[in-house]
Amino acid sequence: LRELSFSAEDFRVAFRKADATGSGKVSLDELLEAVEKTRRGMAGTDRVVAVLRKLFEDTESSTSGKMPAKGLFGPSARTQLSKAGMAADEVDDLALMLEAKDSKHGVCFEDVVLAYLSLHGDGSRASRATNFLWSVCREADTDGSNTLSRAELESAVDERVTERIKQLGLTVPDWARLFDALDINGDGQLTWEELVNGVR
């Protein structure tokens, strides 16, 4: 692998990509396929990955190798990523993906690289839209109930949301009809899972 310029870190990313179930076990064929996909996915991304690595190392101060996702993309980091060739909307989407993934334990560098590579993979538009929608809904949940009322949803889906969904090449739903269709029990509240399943 060293002869292919494939680092131990790259190998860990490939292994995690192959281990979709999180079991810690993959077949040799699965691993080889993941290594090849990771190599192809990382082609031309060396500068961005190097900047992400440096940002992570500079920001991560614990011995756990993890950090909160929110701490990674400040103004200085955004400038560095832009100089490395990463578009501002990609940085926004990456931040949202990592925030969605972040549990109370934080994210590791492999999470950062996997999220970055998924921005360019199959299904990335839908994934990016889902992460954007998650962020919008989290902001809109003003009462902290982890559900959205019709009023919260209507206030959340403004022109910014519509334009972002269009930028991703997806169809903007009729939000009021979608709310009614998803609110099967008629309680006037949607859970995050109900909303995401309905948008898909």
Side-chain angles (χ1 to χ4, degrees):
L1 290 174
R2 232 175 290 184
E3 291 174 18
L4 298 172
S5 299
F6 205 74
S7 70
E9 220 164 54
D10 297 337
F11 184 80
R12 285 192 295 274
V13 168
F15 186 90
R16 287 194 50 201
K17 189 182 280 193
D19 185 19
T21 63
S23 68
K25 297 178 182 180
V26 297
S27 72
L28 182 57
D29 287 340
E30 289 171 325
L31 183 58
L32 291 174
E33 182 180 334
V35 165
E36 183 55 32
K37 282 183 179 178
T38 301
R39 282 187 61 232
R40 280 195 313 262
M42 293 179 90
T45 64
D46 296 349
R47 287 181 53 191
V48 171
V49 171
V51 170
L52 288 170
R53 179 178 292 115
K54 178 86 170 100
L55 291 171
F56 190 85
E57 289 170 355
D58 290 351
T59 308
E60 194 277 319
S61 60
S62 73
T63 57
S64 71
K66 293 189 173 194
M67 62 173 288
K70 282 194 177 272
L72 194 54
F73 299 107
S76 173
R78 289 175 177 274
T79 300
Q80 292 176 52
L81 288 166
S82 174
K83 288 179 182 176
M86 192 170 179
D89 66 325
E90 285 184 317
V91 177
D92 293 340
D93 290 342
L94 180 59
L96 291 174
M97 291 173 84
L98 292 171
E99 287 177 30
K101 177 167 184 35
D102 189 0
S103 64
K104 295 175 182 164
H105 307 293
V107 296
C108 63
F109 180 69
E110 289 83 12
D111 294 329
V112 175
V113 174
L114 283 169
Y116 174 67
L117 293 176
S118 74
L119 288 176
H120 304 282
D122 296 336
S124 66
R125 288 184 309 163
S127 176
R128 290 169 88 169
T130 300
N131 287 317
F132 176 70
L133 187 59
W134 174 82
S135 171
V136 168
C137 291
R138 189 183 60 197
E139 291 171 16
D141 181 21
T142 55
D143 63 3
S145 64
N146 291 323
T147 61
L148 287 180
S149 67
R150 179 184 288 278
E152 287 174 325
L153 181 63
E154 288 174 354
S155 71
V157 290
D158 56 13
E159 191 62 31
R160 171 185 67 106
V161 173
T162 300
E163 286 306 310
R164 183 68 180 130
I165 290 173
K166 286 179 182 177
Q167 283 176 348
L168 291 168
L170 300 171
T171 303
V172 178
D174 177 335
W175 297 102
R177 286 183 58 205
L178 179 64
F179 188 95
D180 291 339
L182 296 177
D183 188 21
I184 295 170
N185 64 2
D187 70 351
Q189 301 289 319
L190 293 179
T191 66
W192 167 243
E193 291 78 16
E194 289 172 324
L195 187 59
V196 169
N197 290 333
V199 172
R200 287 185 183 153

